[in-house]
Amino acid sequence: MDRLRIKGGNKLKGKIYISGAKNAALPLICASLLTDEAVTLTNMPVLSDIKSMNLLLEQLGTKIESHDEIIDGNPCKSYTYHTPKFESLVAPYDYVRKMRASYYVFGPLLARERYVELSLPGGCAIGARPMDIHLSSLEQMGAKIEIKNGYVIAKVDGRLKGAHLVFKAASVGATCNVLMAAALADGKTVIENAAREPEIGDLVNMLNAMGAKISGIGSSVLEIEGVERLHGTIHKVIADRIEAGSYAVAAAITRGCIELVNAQPETLQTPIKILRQAGVNVEEREHSIVVDAEGCELIGQDLMTDYYPGFPTDLQAQFLTLMLTARGASMVTETIWENRFMHVPELLRMGANINVHGHASAIVRGVDKLYGAPVMATDLRASFALVLAGLVAEGETIVNRIYHLDRGYEKLEEKLRSVGADIVRESDKEEE
Ligand code: EPZ
């Protein structure tokens, strides 16, 4: 198993290229299943979650070609997905257990092939993660659904039918799944209380380029006029706002200055507001964000996670860690996931002063120093928070179980080293 060894204390300065968004790319890959023509996705991040999704699609019968490309001087990948016919309509347990986002094949398979078997994902480290909104919506669109041996089996006679749906929570996953299914349904579907995350906008843009008729982009009411067939397209994945926000905190916590090249400031308005209130200078440019904390004395800020455009839960752990280096107390409240303070016990081992109240909130008090320690985390964003703590801690921090980071941060140590961090990856194999 690999681990990261970090020596804290370096001020980070320079430029970091922000990759394509993992959470946009995953549903986009599955949207390619809606057509028998080729779909090419450019600006794709190279991450283990993308590899897992590619393996799942290959198992379903998709032919995938990868190409190297250069965007804004940065080497990245594009992939062409082509599924003229399916070899399987089953998303097996071994794929879904590794990556919950495998459930994005559900809507497309049901819409195009009228049948799908998906291993039910179950909970994970951050919460119970139900799928009830996905399933009840597709039932309202005419699917017959049963749960058997841990699998959800769905079928529909003829095409899915458009329906008026009101989501009880603005779920990103359910919005994507229903959008993809409704694109090929018979008649009009309306989703009320749809998620408004930028990744949804990216999916809508690509589906419309494939011939779908979807309106309401960026709003909480989406209207989808179903069409009989969709065609191929070429689509550039949007920049990863969570990766950008994470490196913004790396600049702020080390009191350095980083330009986040290719970041889209309009997708990060709430985190930018919190950084500015804390005393960090943030300059929004057309295709980048400059985060400058040189000489800043940060002031603690309260923050509460919420659906977009509120503060993203996927940046909570990173901002909580930043507040450890600020003056005064900060109250951090998590409203999306019921178990998302798993980074706190590890931060306490590094000298943090944090009191968690129930599962929902934490009081963070600024400390003079954090101290390096061996740590490990149970999810992707919490792992990045430990890297951040390591960057400012006195001495050496070893972050274990970094396969979490490899799921969502492309070339993490390379990017951090390029702005001056002392960070190396070690693996047991190399030591043997
Ligand atoms: C997406 O998860 C992201 N994952 C998560 O990022 C992110 O934390 C989350 O959205 C919220 O922004 C991907 O995009 C692959 P939801 P998703 O459905 O779609 C409730 C990361 O670190 N809900 O929007 O699974 C649910 O319990 C990951 O990259 C239901 O009640 O999240 C939660 O409270 C972690 N019933 C809320 O909605 C349902 O059927 C939001 O969940 C579905 C969800």
Side-chain angles (χ1 to χ4, degrees), residues 22-23 101 103-104 126 129-134 168-169 171-173 307 313-314 336-337 340 380-381:
K22 164 182 87 84
N23 289 348
Y103 64 42
Y104 282 135
I126 60 175
R129 311 201 69 176
M131 257 195 93
D132 55 320
I133 305 174
H134 307 232
K168 65 165 186 178
S171 157
V172 173
Y307 300 103
T313 172
D314 292 345
I336 305 293
W337 300 117
R340 217 172 194 188
L380 167 62
R381 311 303 171 184

mmCIF file of all heavy atoms in Angstrom, residues 22-23 101 103-104 126 129-134 168-169 171-173 307 313-314 336-337 340 380-381, ligand 1:
data_model
loop_
_atom_site.group_PDB
_atom_site.id
_atom_site.type_symbol
_atom_site.label_atom_id
_atom_site.label_comp_id
_atom_site.label_asym_id
_atom_site.label_seq_id
_atom_site.Cartn_x
_atom_site.Cartn_y
_atom_site.Cartn_z
ATOM 1 N N LYS A 22 -13.895 14.990 -11.754
ATOM 2 C CA LYS A 22 -14.271 13.577 -11.584
ATOM 3 C C LYS A 22 -15.789 13.422 -11.531
ATOM 4 O O LYS A 22 -16.360 12.558 -12.207
ATOM 5 C CB LYS A 22 -13.658 13.048 -10.275
ATOM 6 C CG LYS A 22 -14.260 11.751 -9.782
ATOM 7 C CD LYS A 22 -13.666 11.292 -8.466
ATOM 8 C CE LYS A 22 -14.299 11.844 -7.216
ATOM 9 N NZ LYS A 22 -15.492 11.176 -6.718
ATOM 10 N N ASN A 23 -16.442 14.264 -10.717
ATOM 11 C CA ASN A 23 -17.879 14.059 -10.505
ATOM 12 C C ASN A 23 -18.732 14.522 -11.677
ATOM 13 O O ASN A 23 -19.946 14.296 -11.702
ATOM 14 C CB ASN A 23 -18.330 14.719 -9.195
ATOM 15 C CG ASN A 23 -17.793 13.959 -7.991
ATOM 16 O OD1 ASN A 23 -17.291 12.839 -8.130
ATOM 17 N ND2 ASN A 23 -17.885 14.564 -6.814
ATOM 18 N N ALA A 101 -20.532 5.352 -7.742
ATOM 19 C CA ALA A 101 -21.023 6.048 -8.942
ATOM 20 C C ALA A 101 -21.345 5.072 -10.074
ATOM 21 O O ALA A 101 -21.911 5.476 -11.097
ATOM 22 C CB ALA A 101 -20.012 7.088 -9.393
ATOM 23 N N TYR A 103 -23.674 3.385 -10.130
ATOM 24 C CA TYR A 103 -25.139 3.422 -10.294
ATOM 25 C C TYR A 103 -25.593 4.348 -11.424
ATOM 26 O O TYR A 103 -26.754 4.358 -11.798
ATOM 27 C CB TYR A 103 -25.870 3.702 -8.986
ATOM 28 C CG TYR A 103 -25.632 5.044 -8.319
ATOM 29 C CD1 TYR A 103 -25.564 6.231 -9.029
ATOM 30 C CD2 TYR A 103 -25.518 5.103 -6.931
ATOM 31 C CE1 TYR A 103 -25.378 7.432 -8.402
ATOM 32 C CE2 TYR A 103 -25.328 6.305 -6.278
ATOM 33 C CZ TYR A 103 -25.254 7.468 -7.029
ATOM 34 O OH TYR A 103 -25.065 8.667 -6.396
ATOM 35 N N TYR A 104 -24.648 5.103 -11.991
ATOM 36 C CA TYR A 104 -25.020 5.948 -13.138
ATOM 37 C C TYR A 104 -25.325 5.142 -14.403
ATOM 38 O O TYR A 104 -25.814 5.703 -15.380
ATOM 39 C CB TYR A 104 -23.907 6.953 -13.436
ATOM 40 C CG TYR A 104 -23.886 8.142 -12.497
ATOM 41 C CD1 TYR A 104 -22.697 8.607 -11.946
ATOM 42 C CD2 TYR A 104 -25.059 8.825 -12.182
ATOM 43 C CE1 TYR A 104 -22.671 9.700 -11.095
ATOM 44 C CE2 TYR A 104 -25.040 9.914 -11.327
ATOM 45 C CZ TYR A 104 -23.849 10.347 -10.793
ATOM 46 O OH TYR A 104 -23.829 11.436 -9.954
ATOM 47 N N ILE A 126 -18.926 7.876 4.729
ATOM 48 C CA ILE A 126 -19.490 9.195 5.068
ATOM 49 C C ILE A 126 -20.988 9.156 5.384
ATOM 50 O O ILE A 126 -21.554 10.129 5.825
ATOM 51 C CB ILE A 126 -19.199 10.255 3.974
ATOM 52 C CG1 ILE A 126 -19.796 9.859 2.620
ATOM 53 C CG2 ILE A 126 -17.717 10.527 3.862
ATOM 54 C CD1 ILE A 126 -19.635 10.945 1.548
ATOM 55 N N ARG A 129 -26.120 6.758 2.425
ATOM 56 C CA ARG A 129 -26.159 6.933 0.976
ATOM 57 C C ARG A 129 -27.257 6.131 0.281
ATOM 58 O O ARG A 129 -26.986 5.233 -0.533
ATOM 59 C CB ARG A 129 -24.773 6.644 0.373
ATOM 60 C CG ARG A 129 -23.686 7.395 1.128
ATOM 61 C CD ARG A 129 -22.433 7.568 0.351
ATOM 62 N NE ARG A 129 -22.571 8.486 -0.769
ATOM 63 C CZ ARG A 129 -21.560 8.840 -1.544
ATOM 64 N NH1 ARG A 129 -20.371 8.359 -1.331
ATOM 65 N NH2 ARG A 129 -21.751 9.666 -2.541
ATOM 66 N N PRO A 130 -28.518 6.460 0.571
ATOM 67 C CA PRO A 130 -29.641 5.728 -0.035
ATOM 68 C C PRO A 130 -29.799 6.020 -1.522
ATOM 69 O O PRO A 130 -29.228 6.974 -2.042
ATOM 70 C CB PRO A 130 -30.854 6.264 0.739
ATOM 71 C CG PRO A 130 -30.446 7.626 1.201
ATOM 72 C CD PRO A 130 -28.960 7.571 1.434
ATOM 73 N N MET A 131 -30.602 5.172 -2.201
ATOM 74 C CA MET A 131 -30.887 5.350 -3.643
ATOM 75 C C MET A 131 -32.390 5.465 -3.882
ATOM 76 O O MET A 131 -32.856 5.259 -4.988
ATOM 77 C CB MET A 131 -30.407 4.111 -4.400
ATOM 78 C CG MET A 131 -29.115 4.256 -5.141
ATOM 79 S SD MET A 131 -28.902 2.904 -6.308
ATOM 80 C CE MET A 131 -29.568 3.570 -7.823
ATOM 81 N N ASP A 132 -33.136 5.723 -2.802
ATOM 82 C CA ASP A 132 -34.601 5.675 -2.915
ATOM 83 C C ASP A 132 -35.154 6.683 -3.931
ATOM 84 O O ASP A 132 -36.133 6.389 -4.631
ATOM 85 C CB ASP A 132 -35.251 5.858 -1.534
ATOM 86 C CG ASP A 132 -34.799 7.133 -0.846
ATOM 87 O OD1 ASP A 132 -33.590 7.462 -0.938
ATOM 88 O OD2 ASP A 132 -35.625 7.810 -0.226
ATOM 89 N N ILE A 133 -34.535 7.854 -4.048
ATOM 90 C CA ILE A 133 -35.079 8.864 -4.988
ATOM 91 C C ILE A 133 -34.889 8.378 -6.431
ATOM 92 O O ILE A 133 -35.805 8.493 -7.259
ATOM 93 C CB ILE A 133 -34.410 10.246 -4.787
ATOM 94 C CG1 ILE A 133 -34.554 10.688 -3.327
ATOM 95 C CG2 ILE A 133 -35.012 11.290 -5.723
ATOM 96 C CD1 ILE A 133 -33.809 11.973 -2.982
ATOM 97 N N HIS A 134 -33.712 7.788 -6.723
ATOM 98 C CA HIS A 134 -33.464 7.251 -8.071
ATOM 99 C C HIS A 134 -34.564 6.236 -8.402
ATOM 100 O O HIS A 134 -35.184 6.288 -9.470
ATOM 101 C CB HIS A 134 -32.141 6.482 -8.163
ATOM 102 C CG HIS A 134 -30.916 7.201 -7.679
ATOM 103 N ND1 HIS A 134 -29.792 7.306 -8.453
ATOM 104 C CD2 HIS A 134 -30.605 7.823 -6.516
ATOM 105 C CE1 HIS A 134 -28.844 7.951 -7.775
ATOM 106 N NE2 HIS A 134 -29.320 8.257 -6.606
ATOM 107 N N LYS A 168 -37.475 14.711 -2.841
ATOM 108 C CA LYS A 168 -37.507 15.109 -1.410
ATOM 109 C C LYS A 168 -36.166 15.713 -0.980
ATOM 110 O O LYS A 168 -36.075 16.412 0.015
ATOM 111 C CB LYS A 168 -37.887 13.918 -0.537
ATOM 112 C CG LYS A 168 -36.852 12.811 -0.553
ATOM 113 C CD LYS A 168 -37.024 11.800 0.563
ATOM 114 C CE LYS A 168 -35.825 10.873 0.485
ATOM 115 N NZ LYS A 168 -35.655 9.858 1.388
ATOM 116 N N ALA A 169 -35.091 15.410 -1.724
ATOM 117 C CA ALA A 169 -33.778 16.038 -1.478
ATOM 118 C C ALA A 169 -33.157 16.317 -2.847
ATOM 119 O O ALA A 169 -33.372 15.550 -3.783
ATOM 120 C CB ALA A 169 -32.874 15.108 -0.684
ATOM 121 N N SER A 171 -30.821 15.649 -4.768
ATOM 122 C CA SER A 171 -29.735 14.669 -4.940
ATOM 123 C C SER A 171 -29.047 14.805 -6.303
ATOM 124 O O SER A 171 -29.700 14.790 -7.349
ATOM 125 C CB SER A 171 -30.318 13.257 -4.782
ATOM 126 O OG SER A 171 -29.505 12.306 -5.438
ATOM 127 N N VAL A 172 -27.716 14.898 -6.258
ATOM 128 C CA VAL A 172 -26.918 14.976 -7.490
ATOM 129 C C VAL A 172 -27.086 13.679 -8.293
ATOM 130 O O VAL A 172 -27.398 13.692 -9.482
ATOM 131 C CB VAL A 172 -25.419 15.185 -7.142
ATOM 132 C CG1 VAL A 172 -24.541 15.091 -8.373
ATOM 133 C CG2 VAL A 172 -25.219 16.512 -6.441
ATOM 134 N N GLY A 173 -26.898 12.547 -7.617
ATOM 135 C CA GLY A 173 -26.949 11.251 -8.302
ATOM 136 C C GLY A 173 -28.312 10.995 -8.922
ATOM 137 O O GLY A 173 -28.409 10.572 -10.081
ATOM 138 N N TYR A 307 -26.588 22.218 -0.239
ATOM 139 C CA TYR A 307 -26.657 21.933 -1.675
ATOM 140 C C TYR A 307 -26.131 23.157 -2.430
ATOM 141 O O TYR A 307 -26.225 24.281 -1.944
ATOM 142 C CB TYR A 307 -28.104 21.649 -2.098
ATOM 143 C CG TYR A 307 -28.705 20.457 -1.378
ATOM 144 C CD1 TYR A 307 -29.607 20.632 -0.332
ATOM 145 C CD2 TYR A 307 -28.332 19.169 -1.728
ATOM 146 C CE1 TYR A 307 -30.139 19.536 0.340
ATOM 147 C CE2 TYR A 307 -28.853 18.074 -1.063
ATOM 148 C CZ TYR A 307 -29.757 18.261 -0.026
ATOM 149 O OH TYR A 307 -30.258 17.176 0.634
ATOM 150 N N THR A 313 -20.123 20.159 0.626
ATOM 151 C CA THR A 313 -19.679 19.177 1.633
ATOM 152 C C THR A 313 -18.313 18.607 1.263
ATOM 153 O O THR A 313 -17.518 18.273 2.142
ATOM 154 C CB THR A 313 -20.712 18.037 1.781
ATOM 155 O OG1 THR A 313 -20.155 17.021 2.619
ATOM 156 C CG2 THR A 313 -21.111 17.401 0.458
ATOM 157 N N ASP A 314 -17.997 18.550 -0.037
ATOM 158 C CA ASP A 314 -16.718 17.966 -0.461
ATOM 159 C C ASP A 314 -15.526 18.888 -0.183
ATOM 160 O O ASP A 314 -14.383 18.522 -0.468
ATOM 161 C CB ASP A 314 -16.763 17.588 -1.950
ATOM 162 C CG ASP A 314 -17.716 16.434 -2.210
ATOM 163 O OD1 ASP A 314 -18.109 15.759 -1.242
ATOM 164 O OD2 ASP A 314 -18.077 16.200 -3.385
ATOM 165 N N ILE A 336 -25.140 17.596 4.853
ATOM 166 C CA ILE A 336 -25.434 16.668 3.748
ATOM 167 C C ILE A 336 -25.212 15.217 4.167
ATOM 168 O O ILE A 336 -26.062 14.356 3.944
ATOM 169 C CB ILE A 336 -24.559 16.991 2.502
ATOM 170 C CG1 ILE A 336 -24.728 18.459 2.090
ATOM 171 C CG2 ILE A 336 -24.901 16.042 1.343
ATOM 172 C CD1 ILE A 336 -26.081 18.856 1.559
ATOM 173 N N TRP A 337 -24.059 14.929 4.777
ATOM 174 C CA TRP A 337 -23.740 13.547 5.164
ATOM 175 C C TRP A 337 -23.710 13.416 6.678
ATOM 176 O O TRP A 337 -23.257 14.334 7.375
ATOM 177 C CB TRP A 337 -22.397 13.109 4.560
ATOM 178 C CG TRP A 337 -22.388 13.163 3.059
ATOM 179 C CD1 TRP A 337 -21.601 13.949 2.272
ATOM 180 C CD2 TRP A 337 -23.220 12.401 2.167
ATOM 181 N NE1 TRP A 337 -21.885 13.725 0.949
ATOM 182 C CE2 TRP A 337 -22.885 12.779 0.857
ATOM 183 C CE3 TRP A 337 -24.218 11.440 2.342
ATOM 184 C CZ2 TRP A 337 -23.501 12.243 -0.270
ATOM 185 C CZ3 TRP A 337 -24.833 10.897 1.229
ATOM 186 C CH2 TRP A 337 -24.472 11.298 -0.059
ATOM 187 N N ARG A 340 -19.456 12.825 8.508
ATOM 188 C CA ARG A 340 -18.360 13.390 7.741
ATOM 189 C C ARG A 340 -17.383 14.208 8.582
ATOM 190 O O ARG A 340 -16.857 15.233 8.135
ATOM 191 C CB ARG A 340 -18.888 14.202 6.550
ATOM 192 C CG ARG A 340 -17.949 14.000 5.365
ATOM 193 C CD ARG A 340 -18.392 14.550 4.076
ATOM 194 N NE ARG A 340 -17.535 13.970 3.029
ATOM 195 C CZ ARG A 340 -17.539 14.335 1.768
ATOM 196 N NH1 ARG A 340 -18.356 15.280 1.363
ATOM 197 N NH2 ARG A 340 -16.738 13.762 0.896
ATOM 198 N N LEU A 380 -12.015 10.207 0.606
ATOM 199 C CA LEU A 380 -11.190 11.021 -0.275
ATOM 200 C C LEU A 380 -10.893 12.420 0.261
ATOM 201 O O LEU A 380 -9.737 12.848 0.336
ATOM 202 C CB LEU A 380 -11.962 11.090 -1.609
ATOM 203 C CG LEU A 380 -11.580 12.076 -2.660
ATOM 204 C CD1 LEU A 380 -10.166 11.778 -3.127
ATOM 205 C CD2 LEU A 380 -12.545 11.953 -3.844
ATOM 206 N N ARG A 381 -11.943 13.166 0.609
ATOM 207 C CA ARG A 381 -11.735 14.573 0.996
ATOM 208 C C ARG A 381 -11.066 14.676 2.362
ATOM 209 O O ARG A 381 -10.254 15.568 2.605
ATOM 210 C CB ARG A 381 -13.063 15.334 0.967
ATOM 211 C CG ARG A 381 -13.872 15.148 -0.314
ATOM 212 C CD ARG A 381 -13.129 15.536 -1.582
ATOM 213 N NE ARG A 381 -13.872 15.131 -2.781
ATOM 214 C CZ ARG A 381 -13.413 15.279 -4.019
ATOM 215 N NH1 ARG A 381 -12.234 15.800 -4.249
ATOM 216 N NH2 ARG A 381 -14.148 14.886 -5.042
HETATM 217 C C1 EPZ B 1 -22.415 13.325 -5.066
HETATM 218 O O1 EPZ B 1 -22.800 12.156 -4.344
HETATM 219 C C2 EPZ B 1 -20.900 13.330 -5.080
HETATM 220 N N1 EPZ B 1 -20.428 12.122 -5.740
HETATM 221 C C3 EPZ B 1 -20.356 13.416 -3.658
HETATM 222 O O2 EPZ B 1 -18.944 13.548 -3.736
HETATM 223 C C4 EPZ B 1 -20.933 14.658 -2.959
HETATM 224 O O3 EPZ B 1 -20.540 14.661 -1.597
HETATM 225 C C5 EPZ B 1 -22.466 14.661 -3.040
HETATM 226 O O4 EPZ B 1 -22.893 14.516 -4.435
HETATM 227 C C6 EPZ B 1 -23.085 15.934 -2.494
HETATM 228 O O5 EPZ B 1 -22.593 17.046 -3.194
HETATM 229 C C7 EPZ B 1 -20.397 12.064 -7.073
HETATM 230 O O6 EPZ B 1 -20.759 12.989 -7.776
HETATM 231 C C8 EPZ B 1 -19.872 10.795 -7.684
HETATM 232 P P1 EPZ B 1 -26.501 13.071 -3.341
HETATM 233 P P2 EPZ B 1 -24.309 11.625 -4.424
HETATM 234 O O7 EPZ B 1 -27.357 12.032 -3.973
HETATM 235 O O8 EPZ B 1 -24.849 11.904 -5.752
HETATM 236 C C9 EPZ B 1 -29.713 12.187 0.123
HETATM 237 C C10 EPZ B 1 -16.694 12.996 -3.368
HETATM 238 O O9 EPZ B 1 -15.956 13.147 -2.367
HETATM 239 N N2 EPZ B 1 -30.281 11.182 -0.816
HETATM 240 O O10 EPZ B 1 -26.524 14.454 -3.866
HETATM 241 O O11 EPZ B 1 -24.283 10.223 -3.928
HETATM 242 C C11 EPZ B 1 -28.360 11.718 0.674
HETATM 243 O O12 EPZ B 1 -28.501 10.873 1.798
HETATM 244 C C12 EPZ B 1 -18.110 12.488 -3.222
HETATM 245 O O13 EPZ B 1 -16.307 13.232 -4.540
HETATM 246 C C13 EPZ B 1 -31.444 10.520 -0.463
HETATM 247 O O14 EPZ B 1 -32.036 10.734 0.607
HETATM 248 O O15 EPZ B 1 -24.985 12.547 -3.328
HETATM 249 C C14 EPZ B 1 -27.679 13.046 1.000
HETATM 250 O O16 EPZ B 1 -28.074 13.484 2.280
HETATM 251 C C15 EPZ B 1 -18.417 12.021 -1.832
HETATM 252 N N3 EPZ B 1 -31.960 9.588 -1.347
HETATM 253 C C16 EPZ B 1 -28.237 14.016 -0.033
HETATM 254 O O17 EPZ B 1 -29.408 13.384 -0.581
HETATM 255 C C17 EPZ B 1 -31.361 9.320 -2.555
HETATM 256 O O18 EPZ B 1 -31.909 8.500 -3.324
HETATM 257 C C18 EPZ B 1 -27.295 14.340 -1.184
HETATM 258 O O19 EPZ B 1 -26.847 13.124 -1.798
HETATM 259 C C19 EPZ B 1 -30.177 10.001 -2.902
HETATM 260 C C20 EPZ B 1 -29.651 10.924 -1.998
#
